[in-house]
Each structure stands twice: as C-alpha cells, then as structure tokens.
Amino acid sequence: GYAEIDATIDAINKGHIYRYVSKPWEDNDITLTIRHALHQKQLERDKQRLEELTYRQNEELKELNASLETKVSARTEELRQTMGFLEAAHEKLKQGFITSIRVFSNLVEMREGGMAGHSRRVAELSRAIAWQMGMKEADVQDVFLAALLHDVGKIGFPDYLLEKPFSTLTAEERGAVIKHPAKGQTALMALEPLHNAGKLIRSHHEHFDGSGYPDGLAGLEIPLGARIIALANEYDSVQLGTLLSKHLKQADAMLFIQDGRGRRYDSAVVDAFIAVMGANTETAPARPEQALHSEQIRPGMVLSRDLMTKQGELLLSKDYRLDELLIGQIRNFEQLGDKLTLYVYEKKQAQA
C-alpha cells in the first residue's frame, strides 16, 4: 500500500540517493531528474576538490611561514654577527689611528727633554674635562687628538727655545712662538680626520679675555675644545716651568688656574677642571690591574696604562689588547737593555 511506498521513499532518501521516482513517469521528467542528479554530483565533487585544495594550501602556507620565520631568524643572526665584526674592525682601526697619533706626539716630544709626557698629560686632562662638561663623544675625541698634537707646530724650533719659559722670551723669540699654533693647524691640513682637531690647535693659546694668540679671539669666539686645552696645557706647563720663570707645585698650579678664572680661562672650564681634580680618585671602578714583566704576559691581556720606556717614550697606548706578535716585539725591545713593567688587566669576554 501507500504506507509501504512512503517508507521506501524515506529509506532511499536517508541513504543519500538523489531522488526516488515512482511509476509511471514522464520521459522529460526522468531526463530532467537525471540531469539534475549529475549536476548535483558534479557540485559535490567540485566542493570536495576545493576543500582538499584549500587544506593542502593551508598546510603549505603553514610550512612556508615556519620556514620563513627560520630564514628571517637566521638572516637576522647573520646580520648581527656581521655588524659585530664591522664594529670590532672599526674599533680596531680607531684604536690604531689614535695610537699612531700618540706615537707621533711622542716623537715630537723626544726633542723636548724634560717636556716628555707633557702632551699625553694635557690630552688626558683635556679629555676628562670635556667629558665633565658633557661634550659629545666625537667632540671629546677631537679635543683629545688636538691636545696630543697641540705642540706639533714647534717641530722646527731650535732646541734652546723649546724649554725656555714664555715669560723670558725676547720679542723676536715671542714672534716665532706665537706662530706655532697656526703652523700646527697647517701641518695637519692634509689629514681630513684631523681638520677639527687642527682648528682647536690653532686656538689653544687664546685667552678668554682676548689677550691670547694668534688671532686675539675672546669669550665664546674661542672653540670650547680650545678653551679646555688652553687650561690643561698651562696647568701642566706651570709645573714644568715652561710658562713662568719658576716651577709651581701642583697645589700652586691649581691656584694659578683659579686666579685666571674669567680672564685667561673660561669660568665654566675652570669649574669642570676643579670637579675633575676633586674626583680623580672616583672616576671609575678600579680594574684588577697587574704589574707584570714581559715573560708573564699572555695574549688577550689589555694594557691598563700607557707602556712607556724609562726615557718617557710611548711604545703602546693604554687599552691596547696584546697579541703574540706584540708580545714578541716587546721582548725583542727589552733585549736592547730597557726592562719594562707592563700594567695589564684581563678583559672578560661578553657572553653570547
């Protein structure tokens, strides 16, 4: 009966059969039904194919993302290492350049007898004052280099004139001496990295009140670096006896500088100088320094002080990292009869 037919149709439909057609049927109806069934089947296949394609593409995208992250991470690490190598190379070049300047400065002083070490002391004090005054690193570097070379214009001076106090010079001798700052700047003209230092060298004998030389500049017309070097230079010179007709002790030299506040020297520079001198034992935590002979030093140790001969000649500047070649050269030098003491520390390697 009809109940059995309805149950049969329901069972067929639940079995995912496209359609049940009962007799009798029209040919057009059955043709249309078959066509619809084929179309439906094609749609199902297309849907399944698209779902599988989407799944595969999603999986490939996941793998690509994971691979890309790995590649980016690897490339980033390569760039970091490359930057580290470049920074190390730059630092080595900079250190080598500064050492060359210090050696050249030392060669200038070799003619000056009792003046040996003067430029080095002026450079160290000038750098400390520049840092105290908040100057930028590049400007501090210019101050340091200019201070090392501030007397380069005296290379052509006769020996007797190098140590003669300025206050005892004849008019003719003074005429020669006041030209040495400008000559010093000219001597460095061909060295582009020292152009800024050359400007400071030219003005390092200018006085804040305008009474200096060679250009008679006054006040803020004088570059700050030159104002700093002027004070540091004269602080050392009055102790050596090359500025006045007598040698001053350190305490008297400090009083001489303070008496020149606002006249010979910029008051702000004097204040920074006093701060540096008052804090010279607190500037930095002490390194675990060792005093060793050449047979005790090892590659990788770093000089904590300048390596000087007994005659005050600079061999290597402080912060220089020693290697086997340098150690061998130091030992060869000692065979000439000059036994050296090296002040060193061991620099810890940065953790990766």
Side-chain angles (χ1 to χ4, degrees), residues 58-192:
N58 284 338
E59 291 300 310
E60 290 173 0
L61 186 58
K62 288 180 183 178
E63 292 178 4
L64 180 61
N65 286 338
S67 174
L68 185 60
E69 288 177 3
T70 302
K71 289 179 180 179
V72 169
S73 178
R75 183 59 177 161
T76 301
E77 179 62 19
E78 288 177 7
L79 289 173
R80 187 189 67 79
Q81 291 181 359
T82 301
M83 285 299 297
F85 294 147
L86 288 174
E87 288 173 0
H90 174 72
E91 185 61 30
K92 190 170 184 179
L93 283 173
K94 185 171 73 172
Q95 186 66 32
F97 174 71
I98 294 173
T99 299
S100 299
I101 297 299
R102 297 183 81 152
V103 170
F104 180 67
S105 170
N106 189 67
L107 291 173
V108 173
E109 289 187 345
M110 287 178 68
R111 290 191 57 235
E112 299 181 347
M115 288 284 289
H118 167 68
S119 292
R120 179 168 51 87
R121 291 190 297 272
V122 172
E124 295 291 348
L125 179 56
S126 296
R127 179 165 58 181
I129 294 173
W131 281 124
Q132 179 67 31
M133 298 190 73
M135 295 182 73
K136 296 178 181 178
E137 183 178 357
D139 295 331
V140 173
Q141 181 90 322
D142 287 337
V143 170
F144 180 71
L145 295 177
L148 279 174
L149 298 173
H150 72 277
D151 278 339
V152 69
K154 292 182 177 180
I155 286 180
F157 282 12
D159 291 343
Y160 80 90
L161 194 56
L162 292 174
E163 295 187 19
K164 189 173 182 179
F166 186 81
S167 61
T168 66
L169 296 178
T170 65
E172 182 179 356
E173 290 169 342
R174 286 199 178 201
V177 168
I178 64 175
K179 294 178 182 178
H180 86 267
K183 287 184 176 180
Q185 181 188 28
T186 302
L188 303 179
M189 187 181 300
L191 300 174
E192 185 175 350

Side-chain angles (χ1 to χ4, degrees), residues 34-46:
I34 293 172
R35 186 177 296 144
H36 288 168
L38 292 173
H39 181 67
Q40 178 69 25
K41 188 63 176 178
Q42 184 62 43
L43 290 176
E44 291 176 355
R45 287 175 178 172
D46 289 344

Side-chain angles (χ1 to χ4, degrees), residues 250-291:
Q250 182 179 12
D252 293 328
M254 295 222 16
L255 289 175
F256 178 85
I257 296 298
Q258 293 181 61
D259 287 343
R261 177 195 296 270
R263 291 180 289 115
R264 295 178 74 91
Y265 316 115
D266 180 355
S267 296
V269 176
V270 174
D271 290 340
F273 163 73
I274 293 172
V276 167
M277 298 304 293
N280 58 3
T281 59
E282 306 172 5
T283 52
R287 291 168 172 162
E289 182 182 70
Q290 303 177 71

